[in-house]
Amino acid sequence: AVRRSRLAAAPLLAGGDADELDRLATTARQARFAAGEVIAALSAPSALDELIEGAAQIVVDGADGRPISVTDLRPGDVFGLGGAGDELGVDQRAVATVDCEVISVDGEVAAGVASRDPQLSRAINQLATVRRRRLERALRAVEPVAESNEETDVDAPDGGDA
């Protein structure tokens, strides 16, 4: 009952069909994650996750290997099921920024519920679109720095003009 009420509190799932929420809750499992711990690899999602306590970020690795923040996650935010990173060829992951708690619902069950609920399906697609745009923006934000460094190195290897 607690997992169902927590799932129902997520804005994405609010107003959903009671039977479908019950179906989601039957496969739901709760887990705690310490700050810095990877909650989920989003490039190969196997679950629909809801952050119920704490804070997290969706991150990707930049060309230099440093993590790039794509978006912040707060309690009630849902993630998983459909990685924009796949389309763009990058690995996304959700990482706890403070100790947090997450409810995870089996991906196949969540996809089945979404396929029967057009409103939920639209909401998931809209969320995926927003996240994909944020990912594209985050990747573009670091590209100019890398390009300008490469141009400097190529154009003037000895520090002078060619």
Side-chain angles (χ1 to χ4, degrees):
V2 171
R3 289 182 184 146
R4 185 189 185 286
S5 65
R6 294 249 174 135
L7 287 169
L12 185 74
L13 302 173
D17 179 77
D19 290 337
E20 297 291 16
L21 279 172
D22 288 341
R23 195 167 283 114
L24 292 173
T26 61
T27 66
R29 64 185 185 354
Q30 287 180 243
R32 294 198 64 78
F33 296 89
E37 195 172 352
V38 174
I39 298 168
L42 302 178
S43 298
S46 61
L48 177 68
D49 301 299
E50 177 192 354
L51 184 67
I52 56 175
E53 183 180 299
Q57 286 186 329
I58 295 177
V59 299
V60 296
D61 288 330
D64 61 0
R66 288 188 294 187
I68 301 167
S69 175
V70 175
T71 192
D72 292 325
L73 299 170
R74 301 287 175 235
D77 285 344
V78 173
F79 54 98
L81 277 193
D86 287 348
E87 298 169 12
L88 300 174
V90 296
D91 292 326
Q92 292 185 90
R93 61 195 177 280
V95 178
T97 54
V98 299
D99 291 353
C100 61
E101 189 170 354
V102 173
I103 292 181
S104 296
V105 175
D106 179 80
E108 288 183 27
V109 172
V113 168
S115 73
R116 291 185 295 275
D117 183 339
Q119 181 179 344
L120 178 59
S121 182
R122 277 190 302 276
I124 289 172
N125 287 336
Q126 183 178 17
L127 179 61
T129 298
V130 168
R131 297 251 170 92
R132 182 173 34 265
R133 287 180 183 151
R134 287 181 180 165
L135 174 59
E136 290 168 344
R137 208 172 319 137
L139 293 172
R140 274 195 312 268
V142 297
E143 283 178 9
V145 172
E147 289 173 5
S148 67
N149 287 342
E150 289 171 13
E151 290 172 8
T152 302
D153 293 341
V154 172
D155 291 342
D158 62 354
D161 291 327

